């Protein structure tokens, strides 16, 4: 039983994939074909707000821990860093395309939870 066919084909015209010669229809071509430039800007703004809130809450918790001397405040900051790490993994999944387009709501939900935790951390730090 010897199969004489080539693994990658013999280079004939039949083996090559057909490429469309006309336009792509109604969908525009972007560098990142999974989202429009406006969606990309909104995602970057959202991530910027999350990073800013986490940074402020972390700096305030470190300051309060150094000023008062209780480890509770630094633990609040470390908890917030855990949420930020999860958000960072989701950002990686969105950028690589591993997170399907219909599941991006989870990215925004996790970001909102991170913003809420940073607000609660700021409230608890300065009670």
């Amino acid at each position: 039983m010897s199969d004489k066919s080539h693994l990658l084909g013999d280079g004939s015209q039949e083996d090559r994939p057909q490429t469309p010669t006309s336009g792509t229809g109604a969908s525009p071509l972007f560098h990142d074909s999974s989202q429009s430039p406006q969606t990309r800007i909104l995602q970057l703004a959202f991530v910027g707000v999350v990073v800013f809130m986490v940074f402020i809450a972390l700096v305030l918790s470190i300051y309060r821990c150094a000023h008062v001397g209780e480890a509770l405040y630094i633990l609040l900051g470390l908890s917030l860093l855990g949420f930020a790490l999860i958000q960072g993994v989701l950002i990686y999944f969105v950028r690589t395309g591993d997170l399907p387009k219909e599941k991006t709501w989870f990215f925004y939900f996790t970001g909102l939870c991170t913003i809420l935790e940073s607000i609660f951390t700021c409230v608890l730090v300065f009670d």
Side-chain angles (χ1 to χ4, degrees):
M1 294 192 101
S2 68
D3 186 15
K4 298 288 184 183
S5 64
H6 295 286
L7 182 62
L8 298 176
D10 58 357
S12 66
Q13 191 70 356
E14 298 168 355
D15 294 337
R16 295 185 185 145
Q18 297 296 323
T19 57
T21 56
S22 63
T24 60
S27 63
L29 287 176
F30 301 116
H31 177 67
D32 183 9
S33 62
S34 65
Q35 58 189 354
S36 67
Q38 183 181 11
T39 306
R40 178 82 175 140
I41 289 171
L42 289 174
Q43 274 186 354
L44 288 174
F46 181 74
V47 169
V49 167
V50 171
V51 167
F52 179 72
M53 293 293 291
V54 168
F55 178 73
I56 293 296
L58 189 63
V59 167
L60 290 176
S61 67
I62 291 172
Y63 169 76
R64 186 70 174 180
C65 177
H67 189 265
V68 173
E70 274 189 50
L72 173 68
Y73 300 115
I74 197 71
L75 289 176
L76 287 170
L78 289 176
S79 171
L80 186 60
L81 278 180
F83 270 98
L85 180 69
I86 292 172
Q87 185 70 25
V89 169
L90 284 175
I91 290 169
Y92 174 75
F93 285 161
V94 166
R95 287 185 57 99
T96 59
D98 291 337
L99 189 67
K101 195 171 191 168
E102 59 270 359
K103 305 280 187 194
T104 54
W105 63 268
F106 188 67
F107 167 75
Y108 293 110
F109 176 73
T110 309
L112 286 175
C113 289
T114 306
I115 288 173
L116 278 175
E117 187 182 357
S118 66
I119 291 171
F120 295 153
T121 300
C122 289
V123 168
L124 286 173
V125 165
F126 291 103
D127 43 34

